[in-house]
Amino acid sequence: MESNKKKLTTASGSPYVEHENTMSVGARGPLLLQDYIYHEKMAHFNRERIPERVVHAKGSGAYGKFTVTNDITKYSRAKLFKEIGKETKVFLRFSTVGGEKGSADTERDPRGFAVKFYTEDGNWDLVGNNTPIFFIKDPKKFDDFIHTQKRDPKTNCKSPTMMWDYWSLNPESIHQVLILMSDRGTPYSYRNMNGYGSHTFSFINKNNETFWIKFHFKTAQGIKNFTNSEAEEMRGKDPDWAQHDLVQVIEKGDFPKWSLKVQIMTQEESKTFKWNPFDLTKIWPHKDFPLIDVGVLELNKIPDNYFADVEQAAFAPAHVVDGISYSPDKMLQGRLLSYPDAHRYRLGANYEQIPVNKCPYAVNNYQRDGYMRVDGNGDSNPNYRPNSFDDIVADESYKQPPMQLDSSVADWYDRNAPGENDHFTQPGMLFRNVMNNSEKKNTIHNIVGAMKGIDGPKKEIIVNRQLCHWFRVDVELGKAVAAGLGVNVENILKELGKH
Ligand code: NDP
């Protein structure tokens, strides 16, 4: 008898009746190869996992909207900023960085803060973190750096020795390490932290003028962090705490919000800025480059299926839209290549057809074929250009002004050359001017606890090298860390005196 109920079917749509029991030769006999349904079920099950992200493997995501609250059209012609009140659909994925897909949400780690804006000029991905800076400023160093945050090749355990060896040999990391060691390294939830585009980007206005930009998302929920011991406790109690928290608040209608703000630097200002304005280990001080309001980001829907949308979400800093563009920031330049490359490996060449990644507006080009092409593949339209048949145009109004460069000399970048080597002033500003006494105390406690894990035959060299860096940030900080580690400060001061 026909009924309105859905029938159980194979993947090819053929209805079947036996889901749990195999076809076999009697109760005590072997199975029959012809039980295709069993093979299909198991074969698909064996293929359920896709490669996890090498970094940012553990994540949580939600849909929402971005609403413009302030007119910034004199800086950017991007259509999503066109008028106050304009709304754009977004998808945001938060993540930890170094842990695997099953790791705890409260690990001491930066947090990813990646936003996809579905704009009428294509998808804009602002792929940031919860810190305004990063550990390194040359992308060629990224794989080595991440290896030190992952597992030791022999013990397969995390290794504080590898971490501090690398950080101490790369003093440009210290600004980010200081933030990581503060209580901001263990945010209470994804709702209670800021997001930053981190890189320097550019805005282009309708007169083709270019401005350098930093993006900031300020949490409306307020900054709230775990102390080290609270984070450790939560790791055991609920390793998926941040995921639970995000799902719970959104499901009950308590939608988290952030205000998007920008700092703007003119081309002229960039020439006289005290630091390299394209250096990812540096911030732009607020008093020199005040925050300008842009809009409000709200998260209001948990995806119905985690794998479909959160696991398959693919963000790329290369995805900008008219009115927003790149800068000479070397880390950004490196990420323009590596993010789409990672997605092609993980999800395939057609990853932008997966619903969460798909531009909801027109996509017209001559890319064809490849694994999992599921969008009709351009139908019978020409697959080459130029051609005499279609009416696809390259619209000149989207042309950007040329990027002006200061140098015509090609050579290896020296991150420690004069002008590039001030690794210490800004972390010093953070420690001395921004942190209150209790934040300082917790930060020192966390640094000492983390550095106590350094072990092995090079322990003394690594500890002393890193201590020198803490002293260069701030003498009181250096002294406090040395005291916590039980190290004689005289030797360190002698070492510092040599430089
Ligand atoms: P401001 O006093 O104007 O700003 C200080 C900033 O530090 C605020 O954005 C604040 O964020 C943030 N902050 C507060 N506590 C911490 C912490 N424990 N770890 C990281 N950030 C924290 O100073 P300046 O702009 O002159 O910058 C001084 C230092 O502040 C910088 O060297 C940098 O280390 C840090 N900083 C600067 C940012 C910038 O873009 N200028 C951004 C973030 C940090 P909130 O207001 O949301 O609490």
Side-chain angles (χ1 to χ4, degrees), residues 147 172 420:
H147 286 168
E172 70 271 34
E420 299 294 294

Side-chain angles (χ1 to χ4, degrees), residues 132 175 179 182 184 194 196 216 218 263 283-286 426 429-430 434-435:
H175 195 183
I179 295 181
S182 79
R184 291 202 181 196
N194 294 335
Y196 302 88
H216 302 248
K218 291 273 193 181
Q263 287 177 292
I283 54 85
W284 299 353
H286 289 132
Q426 290 200 355
M429 284 157 51
L430 174 62
V434 178
M435 286 188 187

Side-chain angles (χ1 to χ4, degrees), residues 58-60 101-106 190 234-248:
K58 176 84 186 286
S60 301
K101 209 173 162 311
S103 57
D105 287 342
T106 56
Y190 290 136
M234 188 54 88
R235 242 177 277 162
K237 216 157 84 182
D238 183 359
D240 302 318
W241 160 253
Q243 170 76 13
H244 280 142
D245 176 78
L246 191 70
V247 172
Q248 274 163 16

Side-chain angles (χ1 to χ4, degrees), residues 123 319 344 348-355 357-359 367:
N123 293 347
H319 296 162
R344 288 178 196 120
N350 289 313
Y351 72 92
E352 293 189 81
Q353 290 172 35
I354 297 170
N357 302 322
K358 191 171 157 44
C359 169
Q367 296 167 17

Side-chain angles (χ1 to χ4, degrees), residues 396-461:
E396 291 287 318
S397 70
Y398 285 86
K399 203 167 172 186
Q400 292 188 359
M403 190 186 276
Q404 305 291 332
L405 300 174
D406 297 336
S407 173
S408 55
V409 180
D411 202 351
W412 306 113
Y413 172 55
D414 180 358
R415 66 189 198 284
N416 290 312
E420 299 294 294
N421 62 353
D422 177 7
H423 311 309
F424 306 105
T425 303
Q426 290 200 355
M429 284 157 51
L430 174 62
F431 187 75
R432 279 185 297 276
N433 310 340
V434 178
M435 286 188 187
N436 62 31
N437 283 341
S438 109
E439 285 170 328
K440 282 182 184 170
K441 200 169 135 231
N442 287 357
T443 303
I444 291 162
H445 170 84
N446 297 338
I447 295 171
V448 170
M451 285 185 71
K452 275 188 176 160
I454 304 171
D455 205 1
K458 302 282 182 185
K459 175 176 171 173
E460 200 181 330
I461 294 173

